[in-house]
Amino acid sequence: MYLPGDDKDEGRPAEAVPPPALEPIAARAATVSTLAMAVAACGGGGGSSGGGSTGGGPPPVATVRKPQTDAEAARFLLQASLSVSTGTIAEVRSEGYGPWLDRQFAIANSQSARTFFADRGYDRVDASRFYNSAVIGDYMIWSQLLSGGNPVRKRIAFALSEFFVVSISGINLTWRGPAIGEYWDILNRHAFGNFRDLLQDITLNPAMGVFLNTRGNRAADARTGRVPDENYAREVMQLFTIGLFELNPDGTNRLSNGNPVETYGSADVTGLARVFTGYDFDLAGLAFTTEVGGTRQIPDPEYARRPMTADPARWVPARTTGFHSTEAKTFLGLTIPAGTGAAESLRLALDHLFNHPNVGPFFARQMIQRLVTSNPSPAYVGRVAAVFANNGQGRRGDLAAVFKAILTDNEALDPAGVTNPNFGKLREPVLRFVQFARTFGARSNSGNWQIGDLSDAATALGQSPLRSPSVFNFFRPGYFPTNTEIANRGLLAPEFQLVNETSVAGYVNFIERALTGGRAPVADLALDFAAEVGIAQDAGALLDRLDLLLTGRQLSSGVRDTIRTAMEDVPLTATSTNAERLRRVQIGVALILASTDYLIQK
């Protein structure tokens, strides 16, 4: 990927002060991390533009396509999963891309968010007052991402969390942890299910209901001038299904007289908003517990997991009449007759959205961006959108088929993509940290994964899962840094919306703290470098291993030479201590994670 400013010595963050154990790293990172230098000049990245990517059709159906090298297997795993191991490389090489994915799609996670909270007493009413806590939601999601379970399912769920966005920071309700936990569990349950089912469950999820104002939304009242809240109606169209402009099957804009055609207008939003009226929390049959040392009545956390209901008999206090709009609901060419009930109105509305021709290409393009490349060719988008429309067995919205199509398309797998300057994407900070932690056997010292909100760019990652600053995610799919070569080439670079001088320095310092251990904000994290320490005396072998596991052997020869020189600055002999060996390992890991060859996923 081309990075304007590669030839400029600009913007090395002076505040990136290393801990004493890793003093050479920040100095070396100035040489190795091209991104750290380029960001001050441009903030840019790239991907493949239409026609500029490797292209081509999907592999022949009758042939099981397999990686020819460990590097090809690792590259695939870094698109499809959360990390790489020598074991998974061997599996993919033996089974082939498609069969390996099929097997992963069938594996459930070892622990849900619900069981995470229950196992630790985080869903009990006691003096700890977890019902007021947001940080237990952070503990849960870091536990999910950094350890165990099915990393392919979780990788897809994380991508979905950046499409159907809900943020812990934006939900104010009792039991925020279990509420965001159920949202995460829904994404995992439906990751390889059907888009229509996922859309239904997300719509009725209490966290989403609070985040986008469906919960408590009421029908119009002419006496008071009240009208239904339009927030969810607008976002379910703009962000979750059809987007702002009509699309061709390949994701390009459909034009009329040379101009994009809008998908909906204000009247469509108003009509659809009536569908999302009359819903509230389902509290039927649930107990309330008096808080310790107070009088407040705390509901069972199950209410934050149950789908919202329009049946007023299930509310607290219960009612005989609800607040669902009885008016006709007209939007996008559909009219739901006056007097239609809440459940039937919702079914008809979501069916209509689901069957809109925009959904396939709109969803396909963004999922390709999250997993493979920032600028997929129209042909790539079109192939995946076609699978969304029909999985080959007459079913629409089959997510397992869609994600398999994304990850096994020739444009994703073609080795030529590694050297194509217009192909790839910037790795998100969260995914860098997750890969790093999983690669080196992360565990929690407390057993509770006490890692909180890492959104601060100066002291942490500048991004934290399920903590998007708005419904528009951490970055927009159409973002590109202006006044850069990226813009000149007509490319997009969504993740670069998170990049600035502060975030670059903060990331380097964060990785150094995580490497040395026992330091905030990841003091609860412990890593295992035993395999690396065991071969540390052989700098070449150590670098080969790190290069394979972290980049899929994509370090350039120049970067490898720089890193190897830095590693060999720590002389080792047969009698060297494990601490000395570990220091060499830490230097190698830190410099790779700071390098542009790593930061840009190819």
Side-chain angles (χ1 to χ4, degrees):
M1 175 175 291
Y2 179 86
L3 285 176
D6 281 359
D7 56 342
K8 300 177 184 178
D9 187 12
E10 296 185 64
R12 180 193 167 200
E15 64 269 38
V17 180
L22 295 176
E23 281 189 22
I25 291 181
R28 298 285 185 177
T31 301
V32 175
S33 180
T34 309
L35 175 64
M37 296 186 286
V39 65
C42 69
S48 70
S49 61
S53 60
T54 52
V61 174
T63 302
V64 175
R65 185 169 181 175
K66 297 182 178 182
Q68 299 303 300
T69 65
D70 286 356
E72 287 185 11
R75 178 176 181 244
F76 165 76
L77 287 164
L78 291 174
Q79 295 171 345
S81 188
L82 293 172
S83 64
V84 174
S85 69
T86 54
T88 52
I89 288 172
E91 289 174 2
V92 174
R93 291 200 65 181
S94 173
E95 299 172 34
Y97 299 115
W100 186 84
L101 279 176
D102 290 338
R103 186 163 59 82
Q104 304 310 307
F105 291 165
I107 300 173
N109 283 332
S110 55
Q111 184 184 57
S112 65
R114 177 191 290 263
T115 55
F116 175 86
F117 294 123
D119 289 349
R120 291 159 177 80
Y122 289 161
D123 57 359
R124 292 200 297 261
V125 178
D126 57 26
S128 297
R129 302 196 176 194
F130 292 123
Y131 49 82
N132 288 334
S133 173
V135 75
I136 60 171
D138 295 311
Y139 296 170
M140 176 279 299
I141 189 58
W142 285 122
S143 167
Q144 287 278 304
L145 292 175
L146 298 180
S147 70
N150 179 347
V152 176
R153 185 178 293 275
K154 292 179 182 182
R155 178 70 185 86
I156 300 304
F158 183 68
L160 292 170
S161 79
E162 297 187 328
F163 185 83
F164 298 101
V165 175
V166 174
S167 175
I168 303 173
S169 305
I171 55 172
N172 183 17
L173 76 167
T174 305
W175 295 117
R176 277 179 287 177
I180 201 69
E182 179 60 20
Y183 160 78
W184 175 251
D185 283 348
I186 286 171
L187 297 180
N188 278 271
R189 283 197 299 270
H190 291 295
F192 307 126
N194 192 278
F195 185 95
R196 173 62 178 82
D197 298 332
L198 174 57
L199 183 61
Q200 172 101 11
D201 282 5
I202 284 294
T203 297
L204 295 179
N205 174 249
M208 179 65 82
V210 172
F211 189 58
L212 291 182
N213 309 120
T214 307
R215 183 257 165 167
N217 193 16
R218 296 186 177 191
D221 187 335
R223 295 171 303 169
T224 64
R226 183 183 70 214
V227 295
D229 187 285
E230 297 182 346
N231 202 9
Y232 189 74
R234 181 178 297 104
E235 307 307 359
V236 75
M237 290 192 289
Q238 179 181 346
L239 301 177
F240 301 166
T241 54
I242 65 175
L244 291 173
F245 300 108
E246 292 185 11
L247 302 175
N248 295 311
D250 64 3
T252 57
N253 283 339
R254 184 170 165 267
L255 302 179
S256 176
N257 297 321
N259 297 312
V261 180
E262 292 184 350
T263 51
Y264 64 87
S266 58
D268 297 303
V269 176
T270 298
L272 182 56
R274 293 170 184 161
V275 171
F276 304 117
T277 55
Y279 286 93
D280 214 322
F281 300 133
D282 183 350
L283 289 151
L286 297 181
F288 285 72
T289 303
T290 303
E291 68 178 347
V292 176
T295 59
R296 180 179 165 197
Q297 295 295 298
I298 308 301
D300 188 302
E302 187 63 19
Y303 93 94
R305 301 184 178 111
R306 287 179 173 178
M308 294 184 298
T309 180
D311 179 359
R314 300 187 66 84
W315 301 346
V316 171
R319 292 174 52 91
T320 56
T321 58
F323 296 107
H324 182 70
S325 175
T326 58
E327 296 180 81
K329 308 166 179 83
T330 299
F331 73 102
L332 300 179
L334 172 71
T335 295
I336 300 173
T340 304
E344 181 65 3
S345 292
L346 184 67
R347 183 187 70 80
L348 291 169
L350 295 187
D351 281 352
H352 193 56
L353 288 172
F354 172 59
N355 287 298
H356 193 288
N358 260 35
V359 180
F362 182 73
F363 179 72
R365 181 179 180 83
Q366 291 196 51
M367 291 301 99
I368 295 169
Q369 285 186 314
R370 298 286 66 75
L371 299 171
V372 179
T373 184
S374 294
N375 293 271
S377 70
Y380 186 6
V381 174
R383 290 189 292 272
V384 176
V387 172
F388 184 97
N390 185 338
N391 68 349
Q393 299 175 9
R395 290 199 302 274
R396 179 177 176 83
D398 180 346
L399 293 178
V402 167
F403 286 114
K404 185 175 182 180
I406 290 172
L407 294 166
T408 61
D409 192 272
N410 191 62
E411 192 161 321
L413 296 177
D414 192 339
V418 175
T419 55
N420 183 347
N422 292 339
F423 185 88
K425 63 189 290 290
L426 177 69
R427 299 183 200 272
E428 298 173 48
V430 163
L431 293 179
R432 297 176 219 161
F433 176 44
V434 169
Q435 182 198 354
F436 159 70
R438 280 183 169 263
T439 300
F440 301 111
R443 62 178 176 81
S444 164
N445 291 318
S446 68
N448 295 327
W449 297 93
Q450 294 175 347
I451 303 172
D453 181 359
L454 299 184
S455 299
D456 189 278
T459 62
L461 280 175
Q463 185 190 24
S464 205
L466 309 186
R467 286 276 190 178
S468 172
S470 79
V471 72
F472 296 105
N473 193 27
F474 303 99
F475 39 79
R476 301 299 296 269
Y479 175 81
F480 60 91
T482 58
N483 302 315
T484 66
E485 182 63 19
I486 302 306
N488 293 341
R489 293 186 181 202
L491 301 176
L492 303 176
E495 291 85 354
F496 270 84
Q497 196 167 352
L498 293 173
V499 176
N500 53 56
E501 291 182 350
T502 299
S503 70
V504 170
Y507 167 68
V508 172
N509 288 331
F510 175 85
I511 289 299
E512 290 176 352
R513 289 193 294 272
L515 271 168
T516 53
R519 304 172 66 193
V522 287
D524 193 39
L525 191 71
L527 301 171
D528 181 0
F529 295 102
E532 291 71 32
V533 167
I535 60 171
Q537 190 174 341
D538 185 340
L542 173 60
L543 185 54
D544 284 345
R545 176 179 170 83
L546 296 177
D547 190 5
L548 176 65
L549 298 184
L550 296 177
T551 78
R553 288 198 177 136
Q554 292 180 25
L555 291 180
S556 66
S557 58
V559 170
R560 279 183 61 95
D561 289 346
T562 299
I563 294 174
R564 180 163 181 166
T565 298
M567 291 164 58
E568 290 177 340
D569 282 346
V570 180
L572 296 180
T573 67
T575 60
S576 295
T577 65
N578 277 349
E580 292 169 325
R581 296 170 189 271
L582 177 60
R583 188 162 181 249
R584 175 177 280 190
V585 172
Q586 290 172 329
I587 289 171
V589 172
L591 291 178
I592 289 174
L593 295 181
S595 72
T596 303
D597 290 350
Y598 168 76
L599 292 168
I600 302 301
Q601 173 187 301
K602 302 289 283 190

